[in-house]
Amino acid sequence: MHGGNQSGVSDFLLLGISESPEEQQILFWMFLSMYLVTVMGNVLIILAISFDSHLHTPMYLFLANLSFTDLFFVTNTIPKTLVNLQSQNKAISYTGCLTQLYFLVCLVTLDNLILATMAYDRYVAICRPLHYITAMSPGLCILLLTLCWALSVLYGLFLTLLMTKVTFCGSRRIHYIFCEMYILLRLACSNTQVIHTVQITTGCFIFFTPLGIMVMSYVWIVRAILRIPSASSKYKAFSTCGSHLAVVSLFYGTLGMVYLQPLKTHSMKDSVATVMYAVVTPMMNPFIYSLRNKDRHGALGRLLLGKALQRLTGRKLRH
C-alpha cells in the first residue's frame, strides 16, 4: 500500500496463539519467564566479554554481537506480546506493525550473517592456526561485523519498503505473537505474487549464501580434525566449534519449519515453530555457548565476584 494512503488504515489485531483467557494466563507467565531468562543470559555474556580482557578475541567479539542481536530480537516482540496477553486491546498500529517487521527481518538476517562469520573464524582457528592472529586481525573483524550490520539494515529496509506497497482490506486479525511477513501477505487484498517472489529470491540468497559458507567451513574443519592423530586433540578441536554447530542447527531448524513452505500452506500450526525461533532460540544460545566452556565460566565468575566485592567494600566504607 502506498505510503500516502495510510491515514485511513485500521490497526492490526495481534491475537497471539490462543484466545482462551486461561491459556493466555499460562502463556503470559511462560513468555515472561523466558524473556527474563533470555535478557539475563545475554546481558551476562555481553558484560563478561566486555569486562574480561581474556575474552577480547575475535570469537568472543562475534559472540557478544550475537548476544546483543538476540537481546534486541526478543525485546522487539515479547514486551508487546506480554501487554496483549494482559489487555483486552490487542491492537497494533500499521506503523508499529511495519516497525516490528523491520527489526524482525533485520535481526534475523544479522543473526544469520554473524553465525556465518563465526564459522569462518572457527575455520581459520582450526585449519590455519599459525595464521590466526593475522588472518583474524581486529581491523578485519570490525570490517566483517560492519558488513553484517549494514547488509542486515539494508535488507530489513528493502523488505519493509516492499510491504508498504501492499493493500490491506477486510480482516486484520493476526494469529501470531508479532507482525510476520508471511501472515501480512496472507491478509493482503492486492496481488502479492511479485513481492512474494522477490522475498523468496532475496531470502534464499541472504540465508543460503551464509549457510553455504558455514557448510564449506565445517567440511574443511572436519577434514582437518580427522588428520589429527591424537584422540584427545581431536576432541579438543571439535569442542571449540561444538557450541556454534548446536546454535546453527537450532537456528536453521526452527527457521526452516516456518519459511521453507509455500505461502498458501502457512497456517496457525506454524505459531509453535515461530515461538521456537523467536523466543526459545535466543533463550537457549547463552546456555549453549556457556556449557562446558571454562573461559566463559571463569569470566562470569570474575564478573559476579567483582560485583559482590564492590558491594561489600562499599558497605564497609559506609560503616
Side-chain angles (χ1 to χ4, degrees):
M1 184 178 285
H2 294 285
N5 299 329
Q6 295 310 323
S7 58
V9 174
S10 300
D11 293 343
F12 292 97
L13 294 177
L14 283 175
L15 300 178
I17 56 180
S18 174
E19 296 186 58
S20 166
E22 294 79 12
E23 291 180 359
Q24 285 185 357
Q25 282 300 312
I26 296 172
L27 289 170
F28 173 82
W29 291 109
M30 183 183 75
F31 281 128
L32 178 61
S33 301
M34 289 193 293
Y35 178 66
L36 292 176
V37 170
T38 303
V39 170
M40 184 172 63
N42 284 289
V43 166
L44 282 176
I45 283 186
I46 293 170
L47 291 177
I49 293 172
S50 300
F51 289 105
D52 195 317
S53 59
H54 296 91
L55 301 184
H56 292 175
T57 63
M59 179 178 69
Y60 290 110
L61 174 64
F62 299 141
L63 178 58
N65 275 264
L66 186 69
S67 291
F68 178 80
T69 305
D70 288 341
L71 183 61
F72 199 174
F73 186 91
V74 294
T75 303
N76 178 49
T77 55
I78 302 306
K80 177 62 177 174
T81 302
L82 294 174
V83 170
N84 286 350
L85 288 170
Q86 291 293 300
S87 172
Q88 295 297 320
N89 181 16
K90 303 182 186 301
I92 182 171
S93 67
Y94 175 84
T95 302
C97 193
L98 286 191
T99 301
Q100 196 177 67
L101 175 66
Y102 165 74
F103 284 113
L104 176 68
V105 173
C106 177
L107 295 169
V108 171
T109 305
L110 184 58
D111 243 1
N112 182 54
L113 295 175
I114 291 177
L115 287 173
T117 307
M118 294 175 79
Y120 175 72
D121 172 77
R122 292 300 83 205
Y123 158 76
V124 176
I126 294 174
C127 300
R128 302 177 60 195
L130 298 179
H131 301 90
Y132 182 77
I133 295 177
T134 54
M136 296 302 294
S137 64
L140 178 61
C141 293
I142 297 299
L143 177 61
L144 289 173
L145 284 173
T146 302
L147 287 174
C148 289
W149 279 88
L151 285 172
S152 302
V153 168
L154 291 175
Y155 185 60
L157 186 62
F158 172 69
L159 287 189
T160 306
L161 288 175
L162 278 182
M163 288 302 298
T164 63
K165 307 300 181 183
V166 176
T167 303
F168 296 98
C169 54
S171 174
R172 294 184 178 86
R173 298 161 64 88
I174 301 175
H175 290 275
Y176 257 48
I177 61 174
F178 51 77
C179 292
E180 197 272 338
M181 182 165 281
Y182 263 38
I183 300 300
L184 290 178
L185 289 177
R186 292 195 69 190
L187 294 177
C189 56
S190 57
N191 190 342
T192 61
Q193 188 60 44
V194 174
I195 292 177
H196 186 233
T197 302
V198 170
Q199 178 201 359
I200 293 296
T201 304
T202 57
C204 286
F205 177 78
I206 286 288
F207 286 93
F208 286 115
T209 300
L211 180 61
I213 293 173
M214 285 184 255
V215 171
M216 289 304 299
S217 296
Y218 276 106
V219 167
W220 287 103
I221 287 171
V222 170
R223 289 180 63 180
I225 291 176
L226 291 177
R227 293 195 196 104
I228 301 174
S230 168
S232 59
S233 297
K234 285 182 179 179
Y235 174 78
K236 184 178 179 180
F238 183 76
S239 65
T240 62
C241 51
S243 298
H244 179 261
L245 267 176
V247 170
V248 168
S249 301
L250 185 61
F251 177 78
Y252 275 98
T254 54
L255 209 61
M257 289 168 63
V258 178
Y259 295 109
L260 292 183
Q261 55 181 309
L263 179 62
K264 292 182 180 179
T265 65
H266 206 69
S267 61
M268 283 182 61
K269 63 180 174 54
D270 299 305
S271 296
V272 177
T274 303
V275 170
M276 284 293 292
Y277 93 77
V279 186
V280 177
T281 300
M283 180 183 70
M284 292 302 298
N285 284 354
F287 293 100
I288 293 173
Y289 274 108
S290 297
L291 189 64
R292 300 178 69 178
N293 188 295
K294 294 180 181 179
D295 290 339
R296 281 186 285 273
H297 288 170
L300 288 172
R302 287 189 290 272
L303 176 66
L304 296 175
L305 182 60
K307 295 293 184 184
L309 288 174
Q310 285 180 2
R311 290 179 181 178
L312 183 61
T313 304
R315 287 177 183 174
K316 287 183 177 180
L317 290 175
R318 284 195 296 270
H319 289 296

